[in-house]
Amino acid sequence: MMGNDFQVKLDLRVDWSELDYFGHVNNVSFFKYIQASRVNYWDNIGLTQYHRETNIGPMVASCKCDFKLPLFYPGKVTILSRVDFIKNTSFGICHRLINDKGEIVAEAQDILVMFDFNSNEKISFPKEFKEKIEQLEGVNWDKNNNP
């Protein structure tokens, strides 16, 4: 149920302040978990550092979440992430959120665009990060034509 095809994992503690009126984690908190996992993925491939050095990096174009089960306090949530596709200027990351019981509580998809914040325009996805993703996930994007 955890999914062997997800190579990046982030464990977070559910905080009491994230609960809503009904006693379960508010939907807004799910998006905070997804954001944390997205940035964790970028950290794993060096994209966060690259942005700091060059002012070039990803910009979120879309984030979608399908909620499957409620999440409760006390507890933890594990977010598994992988790249879903790489196109000319954009790429997608999918996330699977798992509760303490190993149940999928949500699935999410990000679409990100590579952006040069110096010139305010999108750019081609850098080859070096494509290669780092291939190494991390064991996938050849060119050979498999974006599996």
Side-chain angles (χ1 to χ4, degrees), residues 38-101:
R38 177 188 312 131
V39 173
N40 181 57
Y41 195 99
W42 297 346
D43 289 347
N44 272 273
I45 62 170
L47 195 50
T48 308
Q49 184 64 34
Y50 181 77
H51 175 258
R52 283 189 197 113
E53 295 168 358
T54 64
N55 208 26
I56 295 171
M59 178 185 288
V60 177
S62 174
C63 182
K64 175 184 179 286
C65 184
D66 293 322
F67 303 96
K68 308 290 185 184
L69 293 170
L71 194 55
F72 297 98
Y73 173 87
K76 71 171 190 160
V77 60
T78 298
I79 307 100
L80 306 173
S81 301
R82 71 165 188 247
V83 167
D84 227 9
F85 66 84
I86 300 173
K87 294 186 178 178
N88 184 41
T89 60
S90 64
F91 66 111
I93 301 177
C94 64
H95 309 276
R96 184 172 289 163
L97 289 77
I98 313 280
N99 67 13
D100 288 347
K101 299 175 186 174

